[in-house]
Every structure is written in structure tokens, then in C-alpha cells.
């Protein structure tokens, strides 16, 4: 296939009017490599890499934690329709027996060209700090446990790419030292101070789960996890871009503080995403969603009701440069979980995960 005359996104932020060549699901360098020379006219359209959401619980009234293969497939189809072509279904804090069943569904789900591709699993919990549990059920939280994780990863067929850990909990040091070369360890849901977080990063926990949310604020005398992440140039930080979790001023300044290569936009979406106002669930708890804001009965924000593509557009509307927002939703998440050799840009050799949009970044077609 030849995608002709599109404005192809470049990683320097520019758009270059050029043809894009696709052969057997991969981007190739020239028409000489094509056997199928079917043309798709993209004149006047922007050509973007498919988005990569590494932190999402669900959408369209389904949740990964339902352990329902058909429901997971429905989520994947919705995500693909919204321009998200690579996806990490994300679990909640639940008993071990339930998590094993949940992770099994990621192996069993039938995926085709209508679905976002599962590129890994995000295990958010149960190794959290009860003080910063957020929308997770405190009764299921447990200390970091190496064998517990390995049993879950075995059930998942080795697909767990990310695991959240509170470094101030007993057993966290051993967990990080033992597993940091097997899985990306993300600091989150924690009241850890700067020293504790910085030491965990030094040991190999080089990712932060939804920066600002479920952690102490960055104070001028107590910089906490946020300050430790800013200090460590190898640390990637997730940020929810729905316009509800984080103030626009903070969003803009986060990109200034962390630069254009360390911010990973996530949706943290739950089953109310793509749905009307009403009652839903997250991690076994009832959630009310009204005008994209999802909350527990006590007012705690319970994930988002916004897909990653709309999160990307939202942060652009806040004043984040378009280039930085697109990288934060494509190349950066791909790098953060080690799949940038496959997805995250439009370079030859990458999977042909492609989104065509108009000038305002409204989706026209997802390939």
C-alpha cells in the first residue's frame, strides 16, 4: 500500500508531505519494496503513529479486571477505533486467585486487525501503600512479594511489562533488586519521601505511575517522589491527560521540567470511557461518572473516562506543543516498556500502525 501525499509526522515536530509505503504490515523505505501498490490518498491529512496506551483499565462498560475474554476484545476494538493501536490492559488490586484469571485472558483473547494490539500487561497493585490507595481496595493490598509476581507473570505468559510498587513498604528493596531486569518497576500509590524514592530509582525502579496522583505533593522542603523523578534523568513519568486529574499549569510545567522524552501520557481509563453519564465499577467498587469525571462514593477520583487520543488533544489545548504531546503518546510510552523497535514512530521497519487525522487532529482513519 502507498499512503500518498500525507503530512507525515516527523520527530522534530514538523510535518513532511511525503508518501508512506506499507508492505506486510510494516513500513518500508521505498516503492521498490512493495508487492501491493494500492494507493490511499491522504492529501491534506496528518499522518501520525498509532498511539500507545500503557495504562488503561477498560472502556465501553468493560474492565480488564472482569477476566472476560469477550469484554477485553470489545475494549481492544474500541481503543483501535480511537487511534490507540498498542495497548497494555491494566489490573487493579485484587486477590491472587482473581489476578491469575485476569492475566490469563490477555493470553486467550482473539485479536485481529479491528483490535488494538496487546503489547504487554500493566500490573497496578497489590504492592501499594494503604495510605495512598486511591481507588484500590485496602483489604487486598499486600507487601511486595517476588513469588506472587512471578506466579502472576506465568499466568500472563510472561506478558507483564509494568508493575507498580510502593518503595516505602517492607520487602520493596528485595523486589526491586530481584526483578528490575525482568519487568519495568513503577513507583506509585505511595507516601514515600524523596530519599526513599531516590534510593528505589537507584536500585532500578525507573518509572512513576500517574505522576502527582496517589503520592505526596512536591514541597519546597519535601520534594518526594516527584522531586526524585525530576532528579533522575533515566526515570520516565506517566501523566493522566484528561484535564481532570491535573491542572493545566501543572501539565505545562511537567513537560518543561521533564523534557520531551520522559513524559508518558496515559489515559488511566476505566469502563465508563466511551459511555454516557451513570454508574460503573472499578476494582469491585461502584463509580459514578458525570461529564467525564469518575469518582467513588467518597469523592476519590477513580480513573478517567477519556481515551488516550483525547488526552493527547486535551494537553495540546492546555498549551503543550503538539510535537511534545504526540511523542508523549507514541514514542515515549513505547520506549518506556521496551517496544520502540516495533512501534511508536513511522520509521521504516516499524509496524504500520497509522492514524490519519484532519488539521485539528480529528481521526479520519486508523490503519
Amino acid at each position: 500500500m502507498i499512503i500518498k501525499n500525507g503530512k507525515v509526522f516527523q520527530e522534530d515536530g514538523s510535518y513532511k508531505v511525503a508518501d508512506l509505503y506499507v508492505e506486510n504490515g510494516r513500513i518500508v523505505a521505498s516503492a521498490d519494496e512493495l508487492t501491493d501498490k494500492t494507493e490511499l490518498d491522504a492529501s491534506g491529512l496528518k499522518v501520525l503513529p498509532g498511539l500507545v496506551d500503557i495504562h488503561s483499565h477498560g472502556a465501553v462498560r468493560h474492565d480488564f479486571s472482569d477476566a472476560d475474554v469477550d469484554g477485553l476484545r470489545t475494549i481492544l476494538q474500541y481503543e483501535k477505533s480511537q487511534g490507540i493501536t498498542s495497548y497494555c490492559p491494566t489490573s487493579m488490586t485484587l486477590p491472587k486467585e482473581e489476578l491469575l484469571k485476569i492475566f490469563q485472558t490477555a493470553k486467550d483473547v482473539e485479536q485481529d486487525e479491528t483490535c488494538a494490539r496487546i503489547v504487554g500487561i500493566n500490573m497496578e497493585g497489590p504492592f501499594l501503600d494503604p495510605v495512598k490507595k486511591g481507588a484500590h481496595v485496602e483489604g487486598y493490598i499486600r507487601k511486595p512479594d517476588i513469588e506472587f509476581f512471578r506466579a502472576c507473570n506465568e499466568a500472563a505468559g510472561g506478558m507483564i511489562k509494568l508493575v507498580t510498587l510502593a518503595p516505602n513498604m517492607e520487602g520493596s528493596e528485595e523486589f526491586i533488586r530481584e526483578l528490575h531486569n525482568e519487568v519495568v518497576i513503577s513507583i506509585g500509590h505511595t507516601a514515600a519521601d524523596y530519599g526513599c524514592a531516590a534510593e528505589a530509582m537507584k536500585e532500578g525502579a525507573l518509572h512513576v505511575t500517574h505522576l502527582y496522583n496517589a503520592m505526596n505533593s512536591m514541597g519546597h522542603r519535601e520534594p518526594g517522589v516527584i522531586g526524585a523523578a525530576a532528579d533522575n534523568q533515566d526515570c520516565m513519568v506517566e501523566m493522566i491527560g484528561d484535564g481532570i486529574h491535573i491542572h493545566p499549569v501543572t501539565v505545562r510545567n511537567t513537560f518543561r521540567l521533564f523534557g520531551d522524552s520522559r513524559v508518558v501520557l496515559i489515559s488511566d481509563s476505566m469502563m465508563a470511557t466511551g459511555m454516557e453519564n451513570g454508574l460503573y465499577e472499578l476494582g469491585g467498587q461502584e463509580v459514578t461518572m458525570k461529564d467525564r469525571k469518575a469518582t467513588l462514593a467518597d469523592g476519590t477520583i477513580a480513573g478517567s473516562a477519556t481515551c488516550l487520543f483525547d488526552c493527547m488533544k486535551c494537553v495540546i489545548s492546555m498549551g503543550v506543543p503538539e510535537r511534545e504531546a504526540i511523542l508523549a503518546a507514541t514514542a515515549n510510552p513505547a520506549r518506556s516498556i521496551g517496544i520502540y523497535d516495533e512501534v511508536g514512530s513511522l520509521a521504516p521497519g516499524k509496524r504500520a500502525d497509522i492514524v490519519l487525522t484532519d488539521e485539528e487532529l480529528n481521526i479520519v482513519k486508523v490503519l
Side-chain angles (χ1 to χ4, degrees):
M1 174 186 287
I2 305 174
I3 302 172
K4 291 191 68 66
N5 302 318
K7 300 176 182 178
V8 181
F9 177 74
Q10 311 293 305
E11 292 204 5
D12 65 2
S14 65
Y15 288 90
K16 179 182 179 181
V17 177
D19 296 343
L20 207 59
Y21 307 104
V22 177
E23 177 74 8
N24 294 325
R26 297 275 174 174
I27 298 170
V28 297
S30 73
D32 295 338
E33 300 177 62
L34 298 179
T35 55
D36 174 11
K37 297 190 178 183
T38 303
E39 294 185 359
L40 174 62
D41 186 12
S43 297
L45 300 179
K46 291 181 175 180
V47 185
L48 307 181
L51 272 58
V52 181
D53 195 350
I54 64 169
H55 189 147
S56 165
H57 299 279
V60 287
R61 208 178 284 280
H62 294 282
D63 191 309
F64 178 47
S65 291
D66 293 338
D68 175 14
V69 173
D70 292 336
L72 178 55
R73 178 175 166 83
T74 299
I75 294 168
L76 298 175
Q77 289 174 325
Y78 169 80
E79 296 292 336
K80 177 71 177 284
S81 75
Q82 302 302 303
I84 296 93
T85 55
S86 297
Y87 186 75
C88 289
T90 303
S91 60
M92 290 289 289
T93 295
L94 292 164
K96 182 178 181 179
E97 296 73 22
E98 291 187 38
L99 287 172
L100 295 177
K101 294 176 183 177
I102 292 163
F103 295 141
Q104 178 73 35
T105 63
K107 290 196 304 183
D108 294 344
V109 65
E110 181 181 339
Q111 301 177 67
D112 59 27
E113 69 279 356
T114 69
C115 300
R117 186 182 301 105
I118 294 178
V119 293
I121 294 170
N122 185 335
M123 184 176 176
E124 188 184 14
F127 311 131
L128 312 181
D129 179 352
V131 174
K132 294 292 184 179
K133 66 182 184 294
H136 292 255
V137 177
E138 184 171 349
Y140 300 143
I141 290 174
R142 59 186 297 157
K143 297 174 184 177
D145 185 324
I146 294 168
E147 296 312 313
F148 183 112
F149 168 79
R150 285 191 167 140
C152 288
N153 203 22
E154 182 177 357
M159 294 173 65
I160 299 177
K161 292 282 190 181
L162 273 165
V163 58
T164 295
L165 174 138
N168 55 321
M169 295 293 99
E170 181 183 347
S172 63
E173 291 182 17
E174 294 82 2
F175 189 99
I176 297 169
R177 288 172 186 163
E178 178 73 17
L179 295 173
H180 74 275
N181 288 322
E182 297 181 27
V183 64
V184 176
I185 298 175
S186 188
I187 295 172
H189 285 278
T190 177
D193 61 14
Y194 173 88
C196 177
E199 184 60 29
M201 291 173 190
K202 182 179 178 181
E203 293 292 339
L206 293 170
H207 193 97
V208 174
T209 300
H210 44 54
L211 191 73
Y212 304 113
N213 299 111
M215 62 188 62
N216 294 335
S217 299
M218 183 176 179
H220 65 294
R221 292 193 183 95
E222 298 179 355
V225 173
I226 303 164
D231 261 1
N232 192 312
Q233 295 300 306
D234 295 322
C235 186
M236 307 286 283
V237 295
E238 299 175 357
M239 186 166 60
I240 304 170
D242 64 348
I244 292 170
H245 280 77
I246 306 172
H247 193 281
V249 169
T250 305
V251 170
R252 291 193 296 272
N253 280 301
T254 300
F255 277 90
R256 295 184 185 113
L257 180 62
F258 286 90
D260 60 9
S261 63
R262 293 207 285 143
V263 178
V264 174
L265 280 179
I266 61 167
S267 68
D268 198 13
S269 67
M270 46 82 70
M271 64 164 60
T273 305
M275 301 298 296
E276 67 279 356
N277 291 342
L279 296 177
Y280 299 91
E281 287 188 3
L282 180 65
Q285 300 184 88
E286 186 175 273
V287 175
T288 300
M289 191 274 282
K290 183 178 180 181
D291 301 332
R292 295 191 307 107
K293 185 175 183 179
T295 56
L296 301 180
D298 64 2
T300 300
I301 296 178
S304 88
T306 307
C307 74
L308 181 60
F309 201 93
D310 287 339
C311 286
M312 180 184 75
K313 291 177 65 176
C314 184
V315 302
I316 292 170
S317 74
M318 295 175 183
V320 173
E322 186 171 315
R323 168 186 178 269
E324 294 183 20
I326 292 173
L327 291 177
T330 56
N332 294 358
R335 288 192 179 101
S336 75
I337 61 168
I339 60 169
Y340 185 65
D341 59 337
E342 286 285 306
V343 300
S345 83
L346 299 174
K350 299 293 180 74
R351 289 188 181 274
D353 295 342
I354 298 166
V355 182
L356 306 180
T357 77
D358 62 20
E359 285 291 338
E360 288 72 41
L361 296 182
N362 298 306
I363 295 173
V364 175
K365 190 175 183 64
V366 183
L367 301 176

